[in-house]
Amino acid sequence: QEQLVESGGGLVQPGGSLRLSCVAFGFTIDTMTMNWYRQAPGKEREFVSYITSGGVIVKYEDSVKGRFKIARDNGKNAVYLQMNNLKPEDTATYYCKADGYPQTYWGQGTQVTVSS
């Protein structure tokens, strides 16, 4: 069965850090651009970051630049999002996306809550 499984979310204080993981099961992501999106209550799902298959090209949404870093380990069939200096506005459900062809895969999401 083809799945993306996110983990690593939780409750953290402002200024804290979390590392999200996304592991693919049932398919290989080594040729795929991998993405992180997030969706907060009352807002549309928004792009956070992507990394191309070789890891050479990365991109971040402006509000997370300098705080978040995306990485991948094709040997582990996984992509990661290191989130530092977290802010309350980062509170959202975070989703992993794999850009396959013709299939696009989405994970189930992991909740990140930044609060005192």
Side-chain angles (χ1 to χ4, degrees):
Q1 186 175 2
E2 298 169 335
Q3 296 182 81
L4 290 175
V5 180
E6 300 100 332
S7 62
L11 175 64
V12 65
Q13 292 183 322
S17 298
L18 287 171
R19 185 175 187 251
L20 306 184
S21 297
C22 171
V23 181
F25 296 91
F27 69 102
T28 301
I29 67 168
D30 58 4
T31 64
M32 301 180 185
T33 292
M34 300 297 296
N35 310 258
W36 287 97
Y37 286 74
R38 66 186 181 187
Q39 188 166 20
K43 297 183 68 177
E44 297 294 317
R45 188 170 298 187
E46 69 173 350
F47 167 79
V48 176
S49 182
Y50 74 68
I51 183 167
T52 55
S53 61
V56 174
I57 303 172
V58 298
K59 188 173 182 178
Y60 301 94
E61 193 272 331
D62 286 344
S63 69
V64 310
K65 287 180 180 177
R67 300 189 297 120
F68 290 11
K69 188 171 183 179
I70 191 170
R72 67 190 298 155
D73 186 338
N74 287 338
K76 296 181 179 178
N77 220 24
V79 65
Y80 308 97
L81 187 68
Q82 178 66 46
M83 305 186 295
N84 298 322
N85 192 24
L86 283 160
K87 303 176 180 180
E89 65 194 74
D90 296 318
T91 295
T93 301
Y94 284 71
Y95 298 91
C96 178
K97 179 169 75 79
D99 293 337
Y101 182 84
Q103 181 71 48
T104 297
Y105 302 91
W106 286 92
Q108 85 289 348
T110 186
Q111 179 66 39
V112 172
T113 302
V114 185
S115 176
S116 298

